[in-house]
Amino acid sequence: MSPFTKLKSDIVSGSLDNLEFWGEIKDGHLVPHGLLADQNAMDDILVGIYVLEKDGLLISCNKAAIDAWGRTPSLKTSEKYCGAHILRYPSGEIMPHQHAPPSVVINNGATVRNADVICEQPNGNRLLALVNVFPIRNKDSQNSDVIGAVNIFRHNTNKTVPGLII
C-alpha cells in the first residue's frame, strides 16, 4: 500500500492518531507537502479537509468541505480559520471564526482532537462536525515550527445538540 493510499484510508476510517503534516514557506506563503499538495487526492477523500496558513488564511479545501459548508469559500484572500458561513458551539451560541479549533493549533502547536463544532450553511442548515486539527510543521526548521494547520472533519451523527437542523 502506498503512503498516500494508507494516509487516505486512515483519514476516512478516522484512524488519526499518528498523522503528521509537513510543508515549507516559499515567498511568505505555506506550500503544503504530500497529500495536502495534491488537490485531486484531497477531493477523493469523503471527509472535509482544509488547509490554513499560520495567520489562519484558508488556502485550500476539498469538495467534501465545500459540501458541508454549503458554499465555496474565497481561498487565499481573506477567509480565516474556516470556510463555514457561521460556526456555533454545541450549545448553539455563535463561535467567532478566530476562536475555532484551528486557531488553537496555529497559536500553540497542539493537536485538537474530536471537538464538536456546528457548521451553519448560508441556507440555515446546520451540520454537527467532529473536528480534528493538526499542525503543519516546517520540515526545514530545526524545531519543526508550526507554519499552518489542517482540519479534518466529518459529520458527527453520534450526538444531537440544541438547534441542529440536519
Side-chain angles (χ1 to χ4, degrees), residues 82-104:
C82 185
H85 174 63
I86 296 172
L87 294 174
R88 294 182 182 275
Y89 295 100
S91 66
E93 294 176 58
I94 290 180
M95 175 189 295
H97 277 60
Q98 68 270 21
H99 295 160
S103 68
V104 173

Side-chain angles (χ1 to χ4, degrees), residues 2-139:
S2 77
F4 255 27
T5 303
K6 170 129 177 51
L7 179 58
K8 287 173 25 178
S9 174
D10 286 348
I11 290 170
V12 170
S13 71
S15 300
L16 308 176
D17 289 337
N18 297 310
L19 296 187
E20 292 183 337
F21 297 94
W22 302 94
E24 62 186 304
I25 300 294
K26 283 191 180 177
D27 299 323
H29 295 283
L30 171 64
V31 178
H33 290 178
L35 175 74
L36 302 180
D38 186 333
Q39 186 64 50
N40 290 329
M42 282 180 44
D43 284 339
D44 285 343
I45 297 173
L46 301 179
V47 298
I49 300 175
Y50 64 92
V51 178
L52 305 166
E53 290 193 331
K54 177 76 174 166
D55 66 354
L57 187 68
L58 183 60
I59 62 169
S60 67
C61 62
N62 70 351
K63 290 178 184 174
I66 291 168
D67 290 344
W69 296 329
R71 63 184 291 273
T72 302
S74 179
L75 301 174
K76 300 180 183 178
T77 59
S78 61
E79 295 202 45
K80 292 195 171 189
Y81 300 108
C82 185
H85 174 63
I86 296 172
L87 294 174
R88 294 182 182 275
Y89 295 100
S91 66
E93 294 176 58
I94 290 180
M95 175 189 295
H97 277 60
Q98 68 270 21
H99 295 160
S103 68
V104 173
V105 173
I106 287 170
N107 290 321
N108 71 25
T111 299
V112 171
R113 295 294 308 273
N114 300 320
D116 287 319
V117 176
I118 297 171
C119 298
E120 185 169 324
Q121 299 176 345
N123 66 6
N125 287 343
R126 295 177 184 178
L127 167 87
L128 179 61
L130 184 64
V131 173
N132 289 277
V133 189
F134 301 87
I136 299 173
R137 299 192 180 277
N138 189 341
K139 196 143 191 151

Side-chain angles (χ1 to χ4, degrees), residues 133-163:
V133 189
F134 301 87
I136 299 173
R137 299 192 180 277
N138 189 341
K139 196 143 191 151
D140 296 333
S141 165
Q142 186 176 21
N143 298 323
S144 299
D145 296 329
V146 174
I147 56 175
V150 56
N151 189 339
I152 300 171
F153 67 98
R154 67 185 67 242
H155 189 173
N156 188 353
T157 58
N158 295 326
K159 291 184 181 178
T160 57
V161 295

